[in-house]
Amino acid sequence: GPDGCVALACDTPFVPPALLRELAGRPARTFVRAGGRLHPLPGRYPAGPLPLDGSLLALEAAELAWPDASALLNVNSPADLAAAERRVQLRQ
């Protein structure tokens, strides 16, 4: 919308809807802190262009503490994919 958006990485299949809703309700740029790490994706971004000359983490942003770091599992390698598959099997 005209006020901004929530951006989500395509390799994070376990981000819960509650986290996305929480980000969407924020009035400014917000990154998620989970497991001791700051994550720019998922994140809340204001409408308009982002600077192309640096890392997203270099931008000023509020932080949203999320207690479950496993919700931000990135599937970037065969080992990550195997861990994600095990997690899905445990849910069934």
Side-chain angles (χ1 to χ4, degrees):
D3 294 329
C5 69
V6 172
L8 176 66
C10 65
D11 63 350
T12 54
F14 300 113
V15 173
L19 175 53
L20 299 177
R21 282 190 298 273
E22 181 75 26
L23 285 168
R26 298 292 174 118
R29 184 177 292 120
T30 304
F31 297 157
V32 177
R33 183 168 293 281
R37 183 171 163 228
L38 192 60
H39 300 264
L41 295 173
R44 165 74 166 84
Y45 292 88
L50 292 172
L52 298 176
D53 59 350
S55 164
L56 291 177
L57 289 174
L59 299 173
E60 283 190 35
E63 293 184 20
L64 168 62
W66 195 254
D68 181 11
S70 70
L72 299 174
L73 170 74
N74 285 5
V75 179
N76 295 320
S77 69
D80 295 339
L81 180 58
E85 288 172 339
R86 283 191 300 275
R87 186 169 170 178
V88 169
Q89 288 173 353
L90 289 174
R91 288 183 173 181
Q92 296 175 352

